[in-house]
Amino acid sequence: MNFYIPTNIFVEKDCVTRHSSEFARFGKKALIVTGAHSAKSNGSLNDLISVLEKNNIGYQIFDQVEENPCVETIAKAASVGKDFNADFVVGIGGGSPLDAAKAIALLIANPLENEQVLYQKKDLGHLPVIAVPTTCGTGSEATAVSVLTNHQMGLKKSIPYKIFPELALVDGKYLAGASKSLIVNTAVDALAHLIESYLNSKANDLNKMFSEYGLKLWRQNKELLSLEKPLNEDDLQKLMFTSTIAGVSIAHTGTGLPHGMSYDLTYSFGIPHGKACGYFQAAYLEVCQKHLPDEVKKVLELLQIENLKEFQLMIDNLIGKYKLSKKDADKFAEAISHNEGKLSATPFKISQEEIFQIYEKSVL
């Protein structure tokens, strides 16, 4: 049995400023990686800059990370970091800036390489990464995964390098300015992480402790997500903590088949990642139920959901439905049926017929 996560994680209010002394050990120059708007509006960027200045750490801001960042953006940011002689990288935001920060840290540390190396398997080091999440779904602050868009390959895919952040600072207050739809979509992503880490060929008793605890936490959050009223400080912190636990859960196993299916919807049609993952969960659980009835029963019990029909209704109420053409669904189903990485994560031998069945019940 094995479980490994080297990230030092703080989950608490004002943790960026409370643990300002942590930053000094990473060097004297930081490249801050973020998107164009949210880090400025939610206060996370100001908090970070205050801490860096307090520690006499110089910084350069790269705020051009788009949703589902592409390898060209990674190369552009890495060039900025190289010119600045950055000692470490700080990612602020949702999964896109955090995943980007990891890949950028790899390229900066290897100046003779270009972005083509991101999808090659080499023995390469990387600069230290600090993660400050501002959404409640990705869990990237607790994983070694970096998912990028590669337009040349025509897909969205994880790079083969394992890059854990050395420090993660998780504060629910940064969620306060997020839209309800963003909170819901990212929370559904966290649910997908918990389910796919529990029903996974790499799962063991250690990572399942986190998956089970996370499902219990998510059970409490499902009522919050359906409320019309604004969420309070405790609600936001609970959502953020659940996301981090879900990240720890997939740090060992990786994600499963529904995540693989989601990437085509995101790449081809711009469907937000959490939504795209959510669409496939109920049908995936239905297939799993035939092979692993006790495990699926456990997932539903932890969520306090009676059956898969009730589970599907919950998902529909949260994110609605999405319909693909039969042509697109068949094309995507055919492609994923040859994705050995995601197929091997499934804890039983899934047939091509079952894969098509998931698409049929999810997006047709």
Side-chain angles (χ1 to χ4, degrees):
M1 196 180 300
N2 164 254
F3 187 84
Y4 174 73
I5 176 170
T7 306
N8 189 15
I9 303 173
F10 294 95
V11 185
E12 59 192 26
K13 185 179 178 182
D14 298 326
C15 56
V16 172
T17 52
R18 285 187 182 186
H19 300 283
S20 63
S21 61
E22 291 281 333
F23 287 80
R25 63 188 175 92
F26 295 107
K28 300 304 294 182
K29 289 187 174 183
L31 176 68
I32 301 172
V33 174
T34 189
H37 304 294
S38 63
K40 299 180 182 74
S41 62
N42 62 33
S44 56
L45 182 59
N46 282 340
D47 285 351
L48 176 62
I49 288 173
S50 295
V51 165
L52 294 176
E53 290 177 347
K54 178 181 177 181
N55 285 280
N56 296 313
I57 297 172
Y59 60 88
Q60 180 77 44
I61 300 173
F62 182 87
D63 60 0
Q64 301 172 43
V65 178
E66 72 274 34
E67 191 172 351
N68 307 304
C70 64
V71 294
E72 290 82 7
T73 297
I74 303 306
K76 185 176 180 181
S79 178
V80 173
K82 291 172 189 174
D83 291 343
F84 183 59
N85 292 316
D87 297 314
F88 63 101
V89 179
V90 185
I92 312 177
S96 294
L98 300 191
D99 283 12
K102 297 172 186 178
I104 292 163
L106 178 81
L107 287 189
I108 294 174
N110 298 279
L112 298 181
E113 304 285 358
N114 61 28
E115 63 268 30
Q116 300 303 317
V117 81
L118 292 170
Y119 286 99
Q120 298 169 5
K121 291 185 178 180
K122 291 189 176 183
D123 185 16
L124 300 176
H126 57 84
L127 296 188
V129 175
I130 297 173
V132 183
T134 64
T135 64
C136 57
T138 172
S140 185
E141 69 273 12
T143 78
V145 175
S146 173
V147 181
L148 305 177
T149 297
N150 189 316
H151 294 302
Q152 187 176 355
M153 298 169 69
L155 48 75
K156 180 180 173 184
K157 186 179 181 181
S158 301
I159 65 175
Y161 299 93
K162 301 299 183 184
I163 305 172
F164 278 102
E166 293 200 22
L167 177 65
L169 299 161
V170 184
D171 190 341
K173 74 178 183 182
Y174 298 139
L175 269 181
S179 68
K180 190 61 176 293
S181 62
L182 177 63
I183 290 174
V184 169
N185 291 345
T186 54
V188 170
D189 188 23
L191 174 63
H193 292 163
L194 294 164
I195 291 171
E196 293 173 41
S197 62
Y198 191 79
L199 299 168
N200 197 294
S201 61
K202 296 179 183 176
N204 61 34
D205 289 345
L206 288 172
N207 93 272
K208 280 188 172 184
M209 287 192 302
F210 290 96
S211 302
E212 290 179 8
Y213 179 50
L215 287 165
K216 290 179 183 177
L217 289 172
W218 207 92
R219 174 179 78 208
Q220 300 169 31
N221 294 337
K222 69 181 180 180
E223 302 302 328
L224 300 176
L225 297 174
S226 62
L227 296 176
E228 295 297 327
K229 67 178 184 179
L231 302 176
N232 63 35
E233 187 178 285
D234 290 340
D235 297 336
L236 298 174
Q237 190 66 23
K238 188 183 298 181
L239 284 161
M240 194 72 94
F241 181 47
T242 304
S243 173
T244 298
I245 292 295
V248 174
S249 300
I250 59 168
H252 173 69
T253 62
T255 54
L257 198 58
H259 260 69
M261 293 172 166
S262 79
Y263 294 150
D264 285 320
L265 268 64
T266 297
Y267 183 80
S268 299
F269 304 108
I271 306 301
H273 174 67
K275 269 192 172 185
C277 292
Y279 292 137
F280 295 104
Q281 293 301 315
Y284 178 66
L285 283 173
E286 185 176 338
V287 169
C288 289
Q289 193 174 53
K290 293 187 293 185
H291 299 270
L292 303 166
D294 291 341
E295 285 85 346
V296 172
K297 181 182 177 182
K298 181 69 172 180
V299 168
L300 296 177
E301 286 176 351
L302 290 166
L303 291 170
Q304 288 189 349
I305 291 175
E306 196 69 31
N307 50 47
L308 288 176
K309 183 177 180 180
E310 183 181 331
F311 180 91
Q312 180 70 73
L313 182 61
M314 177 192 71
I315 293 293
D316 291 347
N317 288 337
L318 289 173
I319 62 173
K321 290 182 176 291
Y322 186 77
K323 297 299 181 184
L324 283 178
S325 69
K326 181 72 162 56
K327 179 181 178 181
D328 284 331
D330 287 347
K331 179 179 71 173
F332 296 153
E334 175 66 25
I336 199 70
S337 68
H338 299 289
N339 185 325
E340 290 302 323
K342 293 306 180 187
L343 293 178
S344 65
T346 308
F348 51 86
K349 186 169 179 58
I350 189 167
S351 68
Q352 191 171 44
E353 181 183 352
E354 288 171 323
I355 290 172
F356 277 85
Q357 177 187 332
I358 294 172
Y359 276 92
E360 180 182 3
K361 295 197 172 185
S362 301
V363 290
L364 286 179

